[in-house]
Amino acid sequence: MDYSKLLKPTAINAPMQTFATLSLKPVELLHGEPIVKWKKQEVKQSIVQQGLLLAVLGKVSYGKPVISELRKVIPIQCEIKGHCSVGLIEDNHVLIRLSLLEDYVHLLSKPIFYLKAQLYMWQMRCTKWNPWWTPDEETPFAIAWISFPELPPNFFGKEYVFSLARAVGNPLHIDLATQNGTRPSCAKVKVEVNLLSKFPHRIKIVEEADESGPEEFKWIRIKYDYVPKYCKPCKKHGHSEVECWVIHPELHKRFEEGVEE
């Protein structure tokens, strides 16, 4: 008998060998409760590994069709160009993993999608996914349009506009007129912003001094063309604090009175 074959890894003990080679985090105790910690860079790496870098949450209001139908209609009716996968993550929420930045920007830029499935129309609103998402709270991250009036046309290149836009958020896309230089009055860019942040209203551009001349600078105004509404107390999109029915119950009463009329 060839005993060497018996000593080789099999399909049964192979998973145990894989488990043994993993770098596992220690389980600590805090006030008697177990806790495991990861560094921010490790969490970012896990997001990439699981294909979640361009992940979007789709919230289907007033019920939803079965997940098999959503997998069919979302790529077609939301006009997704690249590969995507759709899975149920919570009762009314689906997780949409995208492969193209263009599709990611498209889904987050449109306020509402109307999906036709199972002979009904379903309303779906998309928000950015993040690891700490919970069903009761909507993420404060959203897509906004900003522009830079009076920016010199020589700064209309993508790397220049993106550098300026980073003062507000994560730049994603410049509009066609900026790209082609057909609107030299201002540069316009789509940015992923944190709606809880305080937005700057101007930015200073500087050409550093060298042997050919002195320093030159100019203040550029930042114009917010479109910023979605977000209610901080409710942690919901679609309305501001001054429009919130929870904070201002009288607004709901006025609405009901208006409907009765």
Side-chain angles (χ1 to χ4, degrees):
M1 180 181 287
D2 187 355
Y3 289 97
S4 63
K5 293 182 180 179
L6 297 176
L7 298 175
K8 288 182 179 179
T10 64
I12 295 176
N13 59 23
M16 290 302 297
Q17 285 196 338
T18 302
F19 181 80
T21 60
L22 294 175
S23 178
L24 302 181
K25 294 292 183 181
V27 178
E28 303 172 9
L29 289 177
L30 180 64
H31 305 303
E33 300 281 358
I35 179 173
V36 181
K37 298 179 181 179
W38 280 273
K39 295 179 180 179
K40 288 188 178 293
Q41 188 57 41
E42 292 173 325
V43 174
K44 291 178 181 178
Q45 184 179 356
S46 72
I47 290 173
V48 175
Q49 290 173 343
Q50 297 302 319
L52 293 162
L53 195 61
L54 300 176
V56 170
L57 282 171
K59 181 180 180 181
V60 185
S61 302
Y62 314 113
K64 69 179 187 310
V66 295
I67 188 63
S68 58
E69 282 295 313
L70 286 173
R71 288 191 176 115
K72 293 177 185 177
V73 303
I74 285 178
I76 298 172
Q77 298 183 23
C78 294
E79 301 178 330
I80 296 175
K81 297 180 180 179
H83 172 75
C84 81
S85 66
V86 180
L88 186 65
I89 194 172
E90 191 269 338
D91 188 34
N92 281 349
H93 290 82
V94 290
L95 180 64
I96 307 171
R97 305 183 203 217
L98 303 162
S99 59
L100 295 180
L101 178 61
E102 180 182 351
D103 291 330
Y104 176 80
V105 174
H106 170 63
L107 288 188
L108 293 182
S109 298
K110 192 170 180 178
I112 296 175
F113 289 91
Y114 292 96
L115 307 175
K116 185 176 182 180
Q118 298 177 314
L119 304 178
Y120 293 98
M121 296 297 293
W122 308 86
Q123 179 179 297
M124 184 180 76
R125 189 157 47 86
C126 293
T127 56
K128 176 183 172 67
W129 172 87
N130 74 81
W132 314 113
W133 167 82
T134 60
D136 298 330
E137 299 179 4
E138 295 182 356
T139 175
F141 290 94
I143 301 294
W145 274 108
I146 65 172
S147 56
F148 300 98
E150 295 121 28
L151 181 68
N154 59 297
F155 290 104
F156 274 38
K158 185 175 181 179
E159 64 272 28
Y160 296 98
V161 177
F162 270 30
S163 295
L164 295 175
R166 288 180 66 189
V168 177
N170 179 33
L172 298 172
H173 170 73
I174 58 174
D175 76 332
L176 191 60
T178 302
Q179 183 178 339
N180 296 337
T182 55
R183 188 190 54 234
S185 59
C186 75
K188 192 170 184 178
V189 57
K190 191 174 285 189
V191 183
E192 186 179 82
V193 297
N194 184 344
L195 297 174
L196 298 179
S197 300
K198 184 178 180 180
F199 298 141
H201 292 285
R202 65 175 187 169
I203 188 169
K204 187 179 183 180
I205 59 172
V206 179
E207 180 184 333
E208 296 179 344
D210 61 12
E211 64 278 359
S212 65
E215 176 182 285
E216 302 282 355
F217 72 89
K218 184 177 183 179
W219 284 100
I220 302 297
R221 180 165 58 94
I222 304 174
K223 182 182 177 185
Y224 294 88
D225 301 305
Y226 170 74
V227 178
K229 294 179 179 180
Y230 186 77
C231 182
K232 295 179 182 178
C234 286
K235 296 185 178 179
K236 301 288 184 182
H237 287 269
H239 66 274
S240 62
E241 292 182 38
V242 296
E243 302 167 325
C244 180
W245 289 358
V246 175
I247 302 174
H248 307 286
E250 67 276 9
L251 295 177
H252 188 219
K253 185 177 179 181
R254 290 177 194 169
F255 174 79
E256 289 182 333
E257 290 173 351
V259 170
E260 290 175 2
E261 294 174 1

